[in-house]
Every structure is written in structure tokens, then in C-alpha cells.
Amino acid sequence: MKRKGFFLLLMIVMTLLLSSCWSKKELTDLAIVSAVGIDKTKDGKYHLTLQIINPGNVAGGMQGGGGGTQSPPVTIYSASGDNLVEASRRASGRISRRLYYAHANLVVIGEKLARESGLNPLIDVLDRDPEFRTTATMVIANHSTAADLVQTLTPVDKIPANKVLKTLEFTERKWGENVKTSIQEVIQSLESPGRGAVVSGFRMVGDHKQARMLENLQESAPEATLRASGIAVLKQGKLVDWLYGKPARGTVWILDKIQGTDININWEGKKEAIAYQTVRQKTSVSAQVKNGQPHISVHTRVEGDIGDMEVPVDITNPKVITKIEQALRKEIKKELQKAIEHAQKDKADIFGFGEVVHRTRPNQWKKLESEWSNLYFPKLNVDITVEAYVRRAGLRNKSFLSGIKENQK
């Protein structure tokens, strides 16, 4: 009996301590935010643009009720304030539901704001809010405002935020001139000693007014769309430059974030005659300090396949394969050098070379830290070593063009 009484008392106490549903949130009372756009107004205030999901329209294929009219999968609300908290709370006066940021997976920063004020004032509120996830992806609007990007309706992917995220994911995997960066990664880069940061750019192509209309989705070739565009170079949290093409890919390569790309080399007088598809790569960076001068070594190892040959090439010959690999090493090294030269011109250590020195040579770093960005990094000696290997040649070794050439003899 004593034992039963003890368990009964324990159950009563546990029942009193249960929290029940004190923090419940009804779905019908929530406005689920999928993307946040942040711009700067002419009077210096923050302009917040919120992309809110219409659950019924997403699930129902954008079919409205009643007369069969269509309605968009997202609704846009905006507000301005002296800070982001004020702007967010001001937006509540226009929305009949509570703003819910737990599912916001995209933050878009306007180019004007990134250049003039920088990201540092914004990071605190994004990192401090317990509801907002720092794993959300950050992009910077390239030659446009964050509002234009957030308001654009996109085909295929009903929710525009998903269009941006998937585009970054696949272009990083297949091309390598963009990199998907989370808020947490940006914070880590900005906090690292002597380091800059990189954030992918996105731009709206076409008429920004047409981009907001449902008619834009009903065209086989939409008049307005979103496109990944360049990599933003951040120094002390502010946008200082844009990287495009080979300098952008070289930057991603040194950061060891290349998942796949295509390298074209010249052959027998024809430009870009052979296409090489990378399968795997690994880049490592080491540092030394000699006589008070830092020295960086970058080593990258690449393996890939032959994807295309526009000239007859006998790749069954080991000497030919060796020659192709040498050309690849030269081309990749050139891209890495261009990326480093561009960063040194901007005086922005986006590669984290200073962090490597700090980690491996902490005593020497104390003497270099104060002048790293302005003196040591712009004149830094970087030794680049590239290993490139051809592993496969697709479904056939002997080129189709080689057979034609032999028949013509």
C-alpha cells in the first residue's frame, strides 16, 4: 500500500508540473515567412520585405475558389523602421496573423545596404532571435533591390525562396561560380581574424513589375526571372566588389567548395577543344613565416572525366593523356592565380589565409595581424600546386572524329 501511495503521489506531482499546451501555436494564426528581404531607404531606415506562403494555393496548384480565379502561392508584405525589430513589428499592422520566422530559409540583402552600411548591424538581430535559424541561406541582390528579388514569382518552383535555394545548390554542384552560404558561415568568416567573406549574388532579369504578376508564370519563356549572378566580396562586413567567371570559380576552388565544374583546354590550335568534367577535388592551404614575411602554399588535387572532344584525339595513348593533364594543371592554376590577384587588389582576404597563419603560427600572427589586410595580404607570396588526372573517357575511348579522319585518308 505504501508503494502504491508513493506512485500515486508521484503522478499527482508530475501532473502539476506538466507544461501542457501553454506555448501552442495554431496554424491558422501563423503567417509562415519563407524569405526576408532587407533594403535601405533614402532616409536611412531599414525596409523589410516578407515573402509569406499561402498554404492553400501551394497545395492546390494556385487554384482559387469561387469563380476559379487564380491567386499566387505567396503574398508580399513590407514595412520600414529604424531597426529590423521595429520594421517587423510595424508589419504586424498589415497582417492578420502572427509572423512566424522558423521556416524562413532565405535572407536577401539589398546591394545599396550591403555597400553603405554593411552586414554587421543586421547580423545581431538575425543571430539573437531564437525563432530565426542561422542555417538560413544569405544572398546579396546584384544590381537590384532585395524587394525586387523577394517579390518575383517563379515558374517550376512555386515558392520563390525555393527557386533561389535550389539554383544555388545545383549551380554550386555543376558549375562552381557560386557558393551557397548560410548566415552562420558568414558570422564565422566575419569573426575570424583578418578575414573577409563571400556571399553569392542573385539578380532579377527582366521587368520588375511583370515579375510580380501571375501572367509571368503563364509564359513558356517568362519575361522576368531570377538568376544566380556572381560572388560578393565582403570586407569588414561591407560589399566592396563582385567576382564573375574564372576569378569567381578560382575563389570557390581555393575555399575547397568546388563540387563539380567544366574545364576547357585548347588542342592543336583549336580553342576550348576538350571539355574536362571534374568528379572530385581537394584543396589544402598551409602557411609559413620566414624572416617576418608570411608565405602561403595552396595545393589542389583534381580527378575527372573527358566530357567532349571537338578534334580527333587518341586518348588510348598514355602520352596524350599526360599532355592533357598538363594542360589542365596549367589552366586551373591560372584561375586560382586570377582569384588571388583579384582579392589582393581589393585587400580582402576572402580565402582565410590569415586564419591559417593564426592557427599554425599564432606567435608570428600577433605581429602581422594589425597590418594584415593593408600590408601583408596584398603583397603575399602564394605558391600554387595543381595535380590533375583524367580517370575516364565516357562510353568510348576512340573519338568519333578520329574514325572520320581515318576514313578520309
Side-chain angles (χ1 to χ4, degrees):
M1 290 296 294
K2 291 182 178 180
R3 188 175 182 181
K4 290 182 179 180
F6 172 77
F7 279 110
L8 180 61
L9 179 63
L10 181 63
M11 291 178 65
I12 293 173
V13 173
M14 289 179 63
T15 302
L16 295 174
L17 295 176
L18 290 177
S19 60
S20 187
C21 299
W22 68 273
S23 62
K24 69 180 180 70
K25 298 179 179 67
E26 296 291 344
L27 185 61
T28 53
D29 294 334
L30 298 179
I32 300 175
V33 180
S34 59
V36 177
I38 308 172
D39 288 301
K40 191 175 183 179
T41 63
K42 293 181 180 179
D43 56 355
K45 292 187 176 183
Y46 291 105
H47 184 72
L48 193 66
T49 306
L50 304 173
Q51 184 182 106
I52 297 175
I53 299 174
N54 296 327
N57 296 343
V58 173
M62 294 194 302
Q63 292 297 323
T69 57
Q70 290 184 323
S71 55
V74 295
T75 301
I76 305 299
Y77 291 96
S78 60
S80 299
D82 293 326
N83 53 61
L84 292 182
V85 174
E86 178 184 335
S88 177
R89 290 185 174 271
R90 282 183 178 275
S92 64
R94 305 180 183 183
I95 306 173
S96 59
R97 301 185 180 189
R98 175 184 176 275
L99 289 173
Y100 189 60
Y101 291 99
H103 292 282
N105 51 13
L106 177 66
V107 176
V108 184
I109 309 298
E111 182 172 8
K112 179 182 178 183
L113 174 59
R115 283 192 183 277
E116 295 180 0
S117 301
L119 273 57
N120 292 349
L122 311 176
I123 293 295
D124 182 79
V125 66
L126 298 177
D127 188 36
R128 188 179 297 275
D129 191 340
E131 194 172 88
F132 203 93
R133 297 181 298 172
T134 56
T135 55
T137 299
M138 177 180 287
V139 300
I140 294 180
N142 189 336
H143 293 84
S144 59
T145 63
D148 285 342
L149 264 67
V150 173
Q151 292 173 357
T152 300
L153 296 178
T154 57
V156 184
D157 294 294
K158 293 180 181 179
I159 301 175
N162 291 345
K163 149 73 176 179
V164 174
L165 297 175
K166 290 181 180 180
T167 300
L168 281 178
E169 179 182 345
F170 286 110
T171 190
E172 181 183 31
R173 186 182 303 173
K174 295 295 183 181
W175 189 232
E177 290 184 4
N178 295 91
V179 58
K180 190 177 179 183
T181 309
S182 67
I183 296 174
Q184 190 174 27
E185 290 172 326
V186 174
I187 293 174
Q188 291 173 351
S189 296
L190 295 178
E191 286 182 339
S192 297
R195 182 171 182 176
V198 292
V199 178
S200 274
F202 240 84
R203 71 166 59 188
M204 193 212 53
V205 181
D207 185 3
H208 68 278
K209 293 182 179 180
Q210 182 69 21
R212 309 173 191 175
M213 303 176 66
L214 275 173
E215 288 78 0
N216 188 55
L217 304 181
Q218 298 170 347
E219 301 287 339
S220 59
E223 294 186 17
T225 186
L226 299 178
R227 183 179 71 186
S229 179
I231 294 177
V233 176
L234 303 178
K235 182 180 179 181
Q236 296 178 348
K238 292 186 177 182
L239 173 64
V240 295
D241 200 2
W242 288 100
L243 298 177
Y244 304 97
K246 293 183 178 180
R249 184 165 61 178
T251 298
V252 179
W253 212 305
I254 296 174
L255 292 173
D256 195 27
K257 293 188 176 183
I258 285 284
Q259 298 183 37
T261 190
D262 167 75
I263 304 293
N264 299 326
I265 60 173
N266 304 333
W267 195 265
E268 295 181 351
K270 183 175 177 59
K271 291 186 177 181
E272 301 183 350
I274 299 178
Y276 174 79
Q277 302 175 107
T278 63
V279 175
R280 64 185 64 88
Q281 73 86 30
K282 179 63 180 177
T283 300
S284 58
V285 179
S286 59
Q288 290 182 338
V289 179
K290 298 178 180 179
N291 299 323
Q293 296 297 320
H295 181 83
I296 298 293
S297 296
V298 177
H299 178 270
T300 184
R301 189 178 190 274
V302 190
E303 297 180 28
D305 306 333
I306 298 295
D308 180 30
M309 294 190 299
E310 297 184 0
V311 292
V313 182
D314 182 14
I315 56 175
T316 60
N317 187 343
K319 292 183 179 180
V320 173
I321 293 295
T322 300
K323 189 176 179 181
I324 292 175
E325 291 175 343
Q326 290 174 347
L328 288 169
R329 293 166 189 167
K330 184 178 180 180
E331 183 64 27
I332 295 171
K333 184 176 181 179
K334 189 188 301 182
E335 289 195 13
L336 270 57
Q337 287 175 332
K338 284 185 178 181
I340 293 172
E341 290 171 0
H342 206 118
Q344 288 179 322
K345 183 180 178 182
D346 292 332
K347 296 182 179 181
D349 181 11
I350 55 179
F351 311 110
F353 290 161
E355 185 179 0
V356 177
V357 176
H358 175 250
R359 185 173 62 248
T360 58
R361 300 290 189 275
N363 294 330
Q364 289 91 335
W365 172 251
K366 293 179 181 179
K367 301 176 182 179
L368 305 174
E369 184 176 5
S370 61
E371 295 292 336
W372 176 257
S373 297
N374 296 322
L375 179 61
Y376 294 104
F377 176 73
K379 299 179 180 180
L380 191 64
N381 293 320
V382 182
D383 181 29
I384 301 174
T385 305
V386 178
E387 296 180 56
Y389 301 99
V390 176
R391 295 308 188 198
R392 287 168 292 274
L395 294 178
R396 61 188 301 166
N397 285 327
K398 190 174 182 180
S399 171
F400 163 76
L401 297 174
S402 298
I404 293 179
K405 185 177 180 180
E406 290 177 1
N407 293 333
Q408 291 176 346
K409 291 181 179 180

